[in-house]
Amino acid sequence: NKKGTCTSFFTFFEGPDWAPEKWNEIDFDIVPSVENTSVSTNIIFGDGHVRHERHLYLSGIDPQQWHEYEIEWTPYGIKWIVDDTIVRETSKFSEDIDFVDKEQVIMMNFWAPNFNAWSKGF
């Protein structure tokens, strides 16, 4: 609950030959500086030329309470699930996931962002 910080778990493409235009990442972020919608779901991907981000902030989830967070990534799309309820879904027919096609590792972190929307109040 500390403003200016971010707690997250996510999948991430580490390489080989990693570059921003090859980015692949699927996130659950808890961002206290974004009040009332501090849980963010993201797809970050490179299309071979540039990096793109598709954020969706969720309301009605208090991250200070216990929750089970899941990311389900299949050939049919991506689902973000909280407490057995789908809170966001992207189908395989969406342009957003056309380039989310690389092997990824699962990561967790806690960090201090340096862009205004997520760092305010630090």
Side-chain angles (χ1 to χ4, degrees), residues 9 26-28 41 67-73 78-88:
F9 84 91
I26 305 167
D27 301 348
F28 255 116
T41 59
H67 296 284
E68 292 183 13
Y69 298 89
E70 302 174 53
I71 296 170
E72 182 179 297
W73 177 29
I78 302 168
K79 295 177 185 175
W80 291 258
I81 303 165
V82 178
D83 300 330
D84 297 321
T85 301
I86 298 170
V87 294
R88 178 180 179 183

Side-chain angles (χ1 to χ4, degrees), residues 26-72:
I26 305 167
D27 301 348
F28 255 116
D29 296 302
I30 297 173
V31 188
S33 292
V34 182
E35 295 180 15
N36 302 317
T37 56
S38 60
V39 177
S40 174
T41 59
N42 309 314
I43 303 171
I44 306 173
F45 61 91
D47 65 5
H49 303 286
V50 296
R51 186 182 103 154
H52 300 271
E53 297 187 24
R54 304 288 190 260
H55 293 270
L56 178 69
Y57 293 93
L58 306 175
S59 60
I61 299 171
D62 179 359
Q64 293 188 57
Q65 302 298 316
W66 177 263
H67 296 284
E68 292 183 13
Y69 298 89
E70 302 174 53
I71 296 170
E72 182 179 297

